[in-house]
Amino acid sequence: MREIVIPGERISKAEGNKAGFGAIRRGSSIFATIFGLVDKAKEPIEVVPLNGSYVPHTGDHVIGIVEDARERGCFVDINSAHSGYLAYFREQSFKKGEVIMAEVSSVNEIDKVDLDFAKPLYDGKLIEVEPVKIPRIIGRKASMIGTISKGTGCKIFVGRNGRIFIKGKDDAIYRAEKAIRIIEREAHTSGLTDKIKKFLETGEIDGNEK
Amino acid sequence: MSVEEVALEVKGDYVRQLAAKGMRQDKRKMDEYRPIKVTPNFIPHALGSSYVELGKTKVIAGVSMAVGTPYPDTPASGTLMTGAEFAPIASPLFESGPPRPAAIELARVVDRGVRESKTIDFDKLCITEGEAVWMVMLDLHVIDYDGNLFDSSSLAAISALLNARIPKYEDGKIIREETSGKLPVSKKPVECTFAKVGDVLMLDPTLAEEQGMDARLTVATTEKSICAMQKGGSGSFSLDEVEGLIDQAFKKGKALRKLL
Amino acid sequence: MGMKSDIQLIKDGKRLDGRKPNELRDITIKAGVLDNADGSCYLEWGGNKVLAGVYGPKQCLPRHLSNPYKAVLNYRYNMAPFSVDDRKRPGPDRRSVEISKISAEALERVVLLEKFPETMVDVYVEILQAEAGTRCAALTAASVALADAGLPMKDMVTAVAAGKIDGTVVLDLNKAEDNFGQADVPMAVLQHSGEIVLLQMDGDLTQKEFHQAATMAIEASKKVYELQKAALKDKYKERGSK
């Protein structure tokens, strides 16, 4: 049973629980530190954020925009509090403003990130969604994003940092983005997979649209 | 260049790509407005106010009044002053500080639309000739920015002026709680802004479309005449393009006026 | 404070607007109202209308102001020109600067800034309509906007003012009471620890009267906290079914 909690709200009074992400132990109780969803039955007790900036983890695939190109590497905006740094590999080189997909190779103690395995993305549309919604957009075993990709014929690159790059015919890109926006808006609801399938087939969205 | 500006450039590129194919990101037609919502009297304590949403862009206009001395060359006329604030809450692109040139331009263009159309009957704002007149102060407060501040602000401005009232003035004192009548507003000028992206002309640009555009033209019209125009951006228009846009502005202006 | 008048502000336990001494004005709070800001809140409190927006955590610029141990929190309290009877000239005045400073300090106690070194968090509050008690309304809204933005906090900050009119200690002064009253005590508290993170006072109070005022404000803050909580939880419920 998942419950919404706000910062400072008490989640549990039990002595044994451990506090995970978004929670803190104070004395004999565990309190939420962020606005999010908590499953009180899980251990450790952690709060899944309903909003918030991207928290980088090693191994994440992210989509960045080169903001400062240097001789041996470049600084990349990854939609996080700090830019990431990509050290060029051999002849690699990027220009300011280029959109790239890369992997987070390391994260330091203040969440500054090193990037690796970068490749440019072009001929498509870059959109930004709330980073916390990315897991839902990807879906279990990439099922959700696979459905959208097949249903529109688009190639979709999803960055954990809330950025998505869509390649395809213009009309297909429009539909893919719309489907993604539906998920972003209703990530917490059930029946989403069916809703998306229906939208891709018929173009209809039931329930509240805007 | 800030991080937000770099990301915006990428979005602007996509707009240009689409425009070359005659399309817009949100599937609007080239002469279509985003959804518009007008809420007059949004700030009831103000003498006049209105809140306008144009797509995601949100602007509040407020009217204040004070008594002051008239300009020497118009001793029996009230005055109008228009200000605009790009509040930093509205966008990561706005910083705190004195008004940037774009904010000053916005205020002056909205002002011109109201002034040149003779919307306010300034002669009715005279209290004592040569000594005391009503000074109208129109303030535009941008709270969310997704492009096209001109049209949203001018709509909010006219809507605010239309529901504005003049306080009572007695024995040299303003009695705000009482009213001596509505602000004399006789016209409804509206502004229509077009962006030129490559060779394509589109009405009501979003922020991304403003980023991708080469030039912009704002045309203020009343039912019968053009009362103000402003070209912005470092591109250019042909005379044919300008006249075509003026035509559109009259048509689209009519529809905007219905929202007031 | 302390303007002269013949009006009786409180008679037989009833104030001019009909409220009892310990009654709050009507408050409505809505979270997530702006598209650009990372977190936002629109709040109406009596005749006050305030809009709070938060951006961050993001890169701290200019760099020389960044802190290697924690995020820098900036708070800007700003009154729209049409928010008050006598048009307020745009730009920070001394009063706004003071309010911004003490409000930032209140939030610094609460936002877990150490989790984001070398970054900054910008909190903007626009006063769209003012009717006494704007700094409390602003800080209460800012707290909701910060939570909405996903920033980690020890607790929510709830701000309520109490004061004295015609010799009686009352809660939440309105405009007339603020102008003609005898004391005003804006306060902000953290619900669970009871810590006071903002406190100002001007006027004339005995220690006993201050104790009354503070107790009244802290008690009332519980109601306001429930409204903050509801605003955040409702935003979530509004989107889609469930």
Side-chain angles (χ1 to χ4, degrees):
Chain A
M1 220 12 270
R2 294 202 304 174
E3 228 180 271
I4 310 169
V5 287
I6 70 171
E9 218 178 322
R10 196 203 313 265
I11 304 174
S12 143
K13 282 194 195 152
E15 286 276 351
N17 300 122
K18 261 181 134 171
F21 182 82
I24 195 167
R25 171 172 279 289
R26 242 176 263 140
S28 59
S29 297
I30 294 191
F31 296 86
T33 57
I34 59 171
F35 172 45
L37 284 172
V38 69
D39 185 345
K40 291 186 180 177
K42 271 194 178 162
E43 231 323 280
I45 292 184
E46 58 177 34
V47 183
V48 174
L50 284 167
N51 201 359
S53 53
Y54 165 59
V55 178
H57 293 104
T58 310
D60 281 351
H61 289 277
V62 296
I63 294 178
I65 305 175
V66 177
E67 58 182 48
D68 188 5
R70 302 269 174 100
E71 186 63 36
R72 290 165 54 182
C74 58
F75 288 96
V76 182
D77 160 45
I78 55 165
N79 196 29
S80 183
H82 299 292
S83 318
Y85 181 73
L86 171 74
Y88 291 146
F89 178 72
R90 293 206 192 134
E91 303 304 320
Q92 192 178 52
S93 164
F94 292 108
K95 285 198 300 285
K96 181 171 176 178
E98 276 195 78
V99 180
I100 62 171
M101 183 127 205
E103 195 180 298
V104 175
S105 57
S106 72
V107 183
N108 79 357
E109 79 282 357
I110 64 167
D111 282 347
K112 276 195 177 159
V113 150
D114 275 331
L115 299 169
D116 209 346
F117 308 118
K119 65 171 190 195
L121 294 172
Y122 42 82
D123 282 345
K125 183 176 183 184
L126 177 68
I127 67 171
E128 276 162 349
V129 302
E130 290 166 38
V132 297
K133 305 286 163 73
I134 291 286
R136 197 75 170 90
I137 291 169
I138 294 174
R140 218 177 318 165
K141 298 202 181 143
S143 53
M144 185 69 88
I145 200 69
T147 303
I148 300 176
S149 189
K150 277 201 216 93
T152 56
C154 287
K155 191 141 196 242
I156 308 178
F157 300 86
V158 180
R160 287 263 161 195
N161 58 338
R163 289 212 178 113
I164 299 176
F165 196 81
I166 312 173
K167 285 175 83 140
K169 296 210 179 82
D170 296 311
D171 193 65
I173 292 179
Y174 177 79
R175 283 165 54 231
E177 181 182 357
K178 205 138 191 193
I180 291 169
R181 294 288 176 205
I182 296 172
I183 304 169
E184 187 187 15
R185 201 178 55 225
E186 304 179 21
H188 56 283
T189 61
S190 47
L192 204 48
T193 320
D194 292 327
K195 201 169 192 171
I196 295 298
K197 282 206 178 111
K198 181 172 179 188
F199 166 71
L200 292 170
E201 281 160 26
T202 66
E204 276 167 33
I205 311 165
D206 41 33
N208 27 349
E209 164 138 13
K210 293 232 159 33
Chain B
M1 204 192 270
S2 74
V3 145
E4 290 85 18
E5 284 165 327
V6 173
L8 195 51
E9 252 195 48
V10 173
K11 294 180 181 161
D13 285 336
Y14 186 69
V15 163
R16 278 193 283 271
Q17 278 176 47
L18 274 191
K21 299 181 208 166
M23 294 193 278
R24 297 176 87 166
Q25 285 191 98
D26 50 12
K27 288 222 158 170
R28 273 188 292 155
K29 296 200 273 283
M30 292 302 168
D31 67 347
E32 205 182 321
Y33 267 110
R34 287 170 281 174
I36 306 176
K37 191 165 168 210
V38 181
T39 310
N41 202 28
F42 184 70
I43 309 286
H45 290 190
L47 295 172
S49 65
S50 189
Y51 169 49
V52 169
E53 290 174 85
L54 169 57
K56 294 183 187 163
T57 296
K58 302 175 183 65
V59 181
I60 301 175
V63 177
S64 317
M65 282 191 239
V67 175
T69 46
Y71 291 122
D73 51 343
T74 51
S77 293
T79 62
L80 169 71
M81 189 192 76
T82 308
E85 184 168 355
F86 287 10
I89 198 176
S91 170
L93 302 164
F94 295 169
E95 281 164 23
S96 311
R100 41 173 49 198
I104 294 176
E105 184 190 23
L106 176 69
R108 289 172 64 86
V109 172
V110 170
D111 184 279
R112 222 167 278 145
V114 174
R115 194 185 298 276
E116 301 310 324
S117 56
K118 306 215 182 340
T119 291
I120 300 177
D121 197 342
F122 288 114
D123 294 330
K124 297 213 175 96
L125 296 179
C126 179
I127 301 171
T128 312
E129 180 162 340
E131 281 176 32
V133 297
W134 283 109
M135 304 187 307
V136 179
M137 292 162 291
L138 178 60
D139 285 290
L140 305 162
H141 212 74
V142 180
I143 58 172
D144 216 348
Y145 176 46
D146 189 24
N148 200 1
L149 292 176
F150 286 103
D151 298 2
S152 47
S153 301
S154 65
L155 204 55
I158 300 302
S159 174
L161 290 169
L162 282 169
N163 68 63
R165 62 177 182 88
I166 308 175
K168 196 157 183 193
Y169 190 69
E170 219 170 58
D171 305 324
K173 280 216 209 97
I174 298 177
I175 305 167
R176 201 187 157 85
E177 303 74 41
E178 292 175 42
T179 304
S180 64
K182 289 197 83 180
L183 186 69
V185 173
S186 59
K187 303 224 183 60
K188 298 181 186 176
V190 288
E191 291 184 3
C192 296
T193 298
F194 306 86
K196 185 171 176 181
V197 182
D199 289 321
V200 178
L201 299 165
M202 52 179 79
L203 174 69
D204 182 27
T206 59
L207 180 59
E209 288 172 337
E210 282 180 356
Q211 181 61 34
M213 75 186 178
D214 302 300
R216 119 176 85 78
L217 183 69
T218 300
V219 182
T221 55
T222 55
E223 312 260 340
K224 298 205 178 94
S225 50
I226 311 165
C227 48
M229 289 213 280
Q230 184 91 345
K231 175 254 177 197
S234 40
S236 64
F237 293 95
S238 70
L239 180 59
D240 275 345
E241 284 174 332
V242 172
E243 296 193 308
L245 292 178
I246 292 174
D247 229 9
Q248 268 204 61
F250 274 109
K251 287 201 195 87
K252 291 293 162 181
K254 246 190 188 154
L256 283 183
R257 225 167 268 122
K258 290 206 181 95
L259 297 167
L260 292 168
Chain C
M1 199 64 354
M3 281 159 68
K4 295 250 181 287
S5 120
D6 299 319
I7 319 169
Q8 209 175 342
L9 293 170
I10 182 163
K11 194 175 179 186
D12 299 326
K14 240 188 169 188
R15 295 149 82 170
L16 286 178
D17 58 7
R19 282 187 289 154
K20 294 201 278 283
N22 63 349
E23 220 178 304
L24 283 169
R25 288 173 286 178
D26 288 333
I27 304 172
T28 54
I29 310 182
K30 200 153 187 258
V33 296
L34 295 177
D35 284 288
N36 278 321
D38 293 328
S40 57
C41 170
Y42 175 66
L43 187 153
E44 293 187 346
W45 188 322
N48 293 305
K49 290 179 196 277
V50 312
L51 179 67
V54 168
Y55 286 94
K58 53 183 190 168
Q59 198 138 59
C60 185
L61 296 165
R63 269 186 232 259
H64 67 263
L65 291 177
S66 81
N67 186 319
Y69 301 103
K70 56 185 189 163
V72 167
L73 188 140
N74 300 310
Y75 186 101
R76 180 182 182 253
Y77 167 102
N78 182 52
M79 300 188 92
F82 44 77
S83 63
V84 284
D85 288 356
D86 286 324
R87 177 185 181 260
K88 181 187 173 293
R89 292 180 74 214
D93 61 354
R94 290 154 65 87
R95 175 180 168 275
S96 302
V97 170
E98 183 196 8
I99 293 173
S100 300
K101 176 179 186 287
I102 61 172
S103 303
E105 286 162 354
L107 292 172
E108 275 162 17
R109 179 81 185 108
V110 141
V111 180
L112 303 182
L113 299 169
E114 318 74 43
K115 291 203 183 259
F116 308 103
E118 292 182 28
T119 67
M120 71 183 183
V121 176
D122 285 332
V123 182
Y124 300 113
V125 189
E126 301 295 315
I127 310 299
L128 304 173
Q129 184 169 278
E131 215 253 292
T134 54
R135 72 194 68 192
C136 289
L139 191 50
T140 303
S143 183
V144 175
L146 283 161
D148 186 42
L151 279 145
M153 302 194 278
K154 268 177 66 157
D155 205 342
M156 298 292 285
V157 176
T158 315
V160 180
K164 185 169 90 175
I165 56 171
D166 290 351
T168 309
V169 172
V170 298
L171 185 66
D172 191 21
L173 305 186
N174 65 21
K175 192 160 147 195
E177 293 168 340
D178 191 24
N179 287 338
F180 302 111
Q182 298 156 308
D184 184 23
V185 187
M187 273 177 82
V189 295
L190 305 184
Q191 283 307 300
H192 294 93
S193 60
E195 288 169 79
I196 297 171
V197 291
L198 181 144
L199 176 64
Q200 287 183 294
M201 181 267 170
D202 75 316
D204 184 307
L205 288 176
T206 64
Q207 280 168 281
K208 190 166 171 218
E209 285 169 337
F210 172 75
H211 180 83
Q212 262 185 292
T215 314
M216 213 181 244
I218 292 172
E219 188 56 40
S221 73
K222 294 182 188 154
K223 288 203 191 89
V224 181
Y225 172 76
E226 291 303 317
L227 292 169
Q228 289 175 306
K229 199 196 294 190
L232 285 163
K233 297 194 180 189
D234 282 347
K235 175 195 172 190
Y236 177 81
K237 284 193 191 103
E238 221 174 65
R239 301 164 145 199
S241 52
K242 224 183 213 168

